[in-house]
Amino acid sequence: MARTSENKRHSKYVIRIVCEGDKTEPLFFTDLCDRFYGDSKDFDVRTIPQPNIPVEDAEADSEDEVITGVPPLKWVLYARKIMSEGVDESWAVYDKDEHPKHEEAMAEANKIIDGKKVNIAFSSRSFEYYLLLHFEYLYLSLIHISE
């Protein structure tokens, strides 16, 4: 089957991870993907949005598509959309906060269309703290501040 976009099938199993955040989660998952699947001939795993990692003498990449709608339903709907474009497996990763459309997002993710469903993974408000502890020992506690 010929592909018309980067999400279309070549010969690799294509996985996309749609993240709520635009920095921490995409950087974390991109690093994991690079470590475990970077040179793989069998898998093409990428995060959406792609993290902005400055590289010397690199040309600016095109802008990521803006995902619109009410969270977290918008991430699930986007993950569903790209599966119809040739992605084999998609994940929506978001905090399990008090999002207004959480129930609808879960229901949408569980719909099986063309033999596929959207997978959901919850990050945590402690996600940044978890990453920080793996790189530096802290003597301070982190305080949750409500906006």
Side-chain angles (χ1 to χ4, degrees):
M1 168 189 329
R3 288 191 170 209
T4 57
S5 76
E6 71 172 14
N7 291 332
K8 298 284 180 151
R9 184 161 194 78
H10 292 285
S11 60
K12 295 182 175 189
Y13 187 82
V14 178
I15 302 171
R16 295 294 178 262
I17 304 168
V18 181
C19 299
E20 172 181 16
D22 60 358
K23 290 187 175 98
T24 310
E25 288 91 346
L27 285 168
F28 175 74
F29 287 113
T30 296
D31 185 57
L32 279 180
C33 295
D34 289 347
R35 286 177 191 258
F36 293 104
Y37 298 108
D39 296 328
S40 175
K41 292 181 173 76
D42 299 321
F43 293 94
D44 175 10
V45 185
R46 282 186 247 159
T47 60
I48 299 171
Q50 283 286 292
N52 182 15
I53 303 170
V55 178
E56 290 182 28
D57 302 326
E59 294 181 23
D61 289 339
S62 61
E63 292 284 320
D64 282 327
E65 180 176 342
V66 175
I67 303 172
T68 59
V70 178
L73 184 59
K74 68 181 183 177
W75 298 300
V76 171
L77 291 173
Y78 186 79
R80 166 89 54 221
K81 174 185 164 248
I82 61 176
M83 279 202 314
S84 68
E85 297 171 355
V87 171
D88 297 300
E89 184 177 331
S90 66
W91 288 81
V93 179
Y94 58 88
D95 294 338
K96 190 178 178 186
D97 294 332
E98 295 177 18
H99 287 300
K101 298 284 185 178
H102 177 68
E103 299 275 331
E104 291 90 335
M106 294 295 288
E108 179 64 32
N110 284 318
K111 290 180 186 174
I112 298 175
I113 299 175
D114 295 330
K116 301 176 187 176
K117 71 176 204 152
V118 175
N119 299 290
I120 292 180
F122 298 116
S123 62
S124 167
R125 67 178 104 167
S126 302
F127 191 74
E128 289 83 359
Y129 185 57
Y130 165 82
L131 293 176
L132 192 56
L133 287 176
H134 284 78
F135 296 102
E136 183 174 328
Y137 187 79
L138 293 180
Y139 295 96
L140 305 171
S141 64
L142 296 179
I143 300 170
H144 182 278
I145 299 174
S146 299
E147 293 181 56

